[in-house]
Amino acid sequence: MKQLLKTLTETFSPSGYEDEIRKVILNEVKLLADEVRVDALGNLIVRKKPTNGTKAPKKIMIAAHMDEIGVMVTHVDDNGFVRFTGIGGVYPRNLVGGHVRFANGVSGVIGLEPTSSPSDVPALNKMFVDVGATSKKNCPVKTGDVAGFERSFLDLGDRLVAKSMDDRIGCLVAIEALRELKSTPHDVYFVFTTQEEIGTHGAQTSAYGIDPDLGFSIDVTGWGDTPGQKDFDVALGKGPAIKIRDGGMLSDPRIVEWMIRTAEKAKIPYQREVLLGGTTDARAMQLVRGGVPVGCVSIPCRYVHTPAEMVDFNDVKNAVKLITAMLSNSVSI
Ligand code: CO
Ligand code: ZN
């Protein structure tokens, strides 16, 4: 599992440019699935059909996003410095000293214009990527090119660190749950979605296409257990978090109840999550067509949207167990 996580997190795939990661995931799931397709927005839809003889199976959609935050070139200046804007939630203070890699393989480092005090962080438009060019002419990237952040996977034992745990850890949990799911009374659709970081776009269209009876997302959430963190009752290593609300959604109480009941029955540790900011694919799924009851299984993650996002491996394994148990048994919602 750690080896697969290393591959998943080191793959390039900013929002809208998910080809590479889709290939990696497809390779893992194709032998486990009953049906695989890719829709117009690039969502990878992986179906596991109900076990023969099941009456009135429920269509359950599980979304984990494949895309990651990145940057896009706005222009290259006369001296070959690459100016950029963010794709998704890109914050200046997380970029200083960073490395990026463009789709064409070109790498660069992030530099910044001088500030009045060395401890100030400038806005994104006062930063640039230095790819080693000396003029606009010899610069190997152009306006509109896209880059992802570069950082190798770090295994600290129980704690694992990577640049795109958000949300490759959700992709890993979905893949492993599919692997563990021997039979199911449901019609299960695992969807590896695109363009979550720019506004849950892939989840919106794939949920419309699938028209599920219920569903949930698997995504990272924040953390409350490092110095100075306040008002967030989620810690690494205490189990997957069952989302009750976030900044964009109230989970359906019946879905929350289903998750808690399953965790308690299977003796899987879990945490109750009330997150004030941010949201997930579940928000988009909830609001398609006539509405869908949804929730979210969250993986507690420190330093979200930096190149060093950290999760606890036990939470990951327990999330796989929880989801496998949920999908293995019938549910009345
Ligand atoms: Co994110
Ligand atoms: Zn995410």
Side-chain angles (χ1 to χ4, degrees):
M1 241 163 109
K2 284 184 179 178
Q3 191 54 44
L4 176 56
L5 184 58
K6 177 178 163 66
T7 306
L8 289 169
T9 54
E10 289 181 355
T11 300
F12 169 95
S13 285
S15 308
Y17 297 80
E18 296 94 351
D19 287 10
E20 279 188 43
I21 188 69
R22 188 169 46 243
K23 273 184 217 152
V24 173
I25 296 172
L26 179 59
N27 195 43
E28 289 298 320
V29 299
K30 63 187 177 201
L31 295 176
L32 305 168
D34 293 319
E35 209 177 276
V36 176
R37 66 186 176 88
V38 178
D39 75 5
L41 258 69
N43 296 296
L44 175 63
I45 300 172
V46 178
R47 184 177 178 195
K48 177 100 177 161
K49 289 185 185 170
T51 312
N52 284 342
T54 316
K55 280 190 204 109
K58 294 233 189 267
K59 240 193 243 181
I60 301 183
M61 172 171 165
I62 301 118
H65 69 90
M66 303 192 277
D67 62 313
E68 65 187 299
I69 56 171
V71 301
M72 180 179 275
V73 180
T74 53
H75 65 286
V76 179
D77 76 14
D78 291 342
N79 298 316
F81 293 103
V82 178
R83 298 293 186 155
F84 62 90
T85 187
I87 297 175
V90 173
Y91 305 108
R93 67 176 194 169
N94 297 342
L95 301 191
V96 180
H99 291 189
V100 299
R101 181 166 60 86
F102 289 87
N104 64 5
V106 169
S107 290
V109 296
I110 293 169
L112 28 146
E113 293 182 19
T115 50
S116 43
S117 151
S119 36
D120 288 351
V121 180
L124 283 189
N125 63 5
K126 303 285 183 199
M127 305 179 104
F128 49 85
V129 180
D130 186 342
V131 295
T134 52
S135 73
K136 187 170 183 163
K137 234 176 160 179
N138 71 15
C139 182
V141 300
K142 56 188 183 305
T143 300
D145 282 357
V146 166
F149 298 103
E150 278 281 273
R151 190 71 70 90
S152 43
F153 177 77
L154 181 61
D155 182 352
L156 300 176
D158 278 349
R159 302 283 159 94
L160 308 172
V161 184
K163 66 146 167 79
S164 59
M165 281 302 178
D166 176 11
D167 184 30
R168 302 298 154 68
I169 199 65
C171 295
L172 178 76
V173 168
I175 294 166
E176 297 303 324
L178 175 64
R179 208 188 302 284
E180 294 301 314
L181 192 62
K182 301 305 174 212
S183 68
T184 175
H186 310 295
D187 196 3
V188 180
Y189 292 80
F190 287 96
V191 184
F192 300 89
T193 62
T194 56
Q195 301 189 34
E196 189 272 352
E197 296 290 359
I198 61 158
T200 61
H201 293 185
Q204 188 175 337
T205 60
S206 56
Y208 191 98
I210 291 165
D211 191 13
D213 296 309
L214 56 126
F216 57 92
S217 58
I218 312 170
D219 207 334
V220 299
T221 186
W223 74 102
D225 59 341
T226 60
Q229 289 293 99
K230 283 195 184 76
D231 300 331
F232 188 51
D233 194 16
V234 168
L236 262 63
K238 293 190 174 169
I242 293 173
K243 190 186 293 290
I244 296 166
R245 72 163 280 180
D246 64 24
M249 182 190 84
L250 297 173
S251 296
D252 190 298
R254 294 166 295 177
I255 301 282
V256 172
E257 220 270 313
W258 175 38
M259 290 176 174
I260 289 177
R261 198 178 351 106
T262 307
E264 288 183 347
K265 209 171 153 196
K267 299 196 164 47
I268 299 164
Y270 69 92
Q271 310 180 63
R272 295 166 63 88
E273 176 196 347
V274 174
L275 179 71
L276 301 183
T279 195
T280 74
D281 276 343
R283 174 193 156 83
M285 291 158 65
Q286 187 177 47
L287 300 176
V288 294
R289 293 181 183 258
V292 181
V294 298
C296 173
V297 174
S298 295
I299 314 298
C301 182
R302 289 180 183 166
Y303 326 124
V304 177
H305 287 205
T306 77
E309 299 173 328
M310 178 190 283
V311 299
D312 188 290
F313 197 39
N314 299 302
D315 295 339
V316 177
K317 289 188 276 195
N318 282 319
V320 174
K321 276 189 204 161
L322 173 60
I323 291 163
T324 309
M326 286 166 64
L327 298 176
S328 299
N329 302 302
S330 60
V331 56
S332 52
I333 290 171

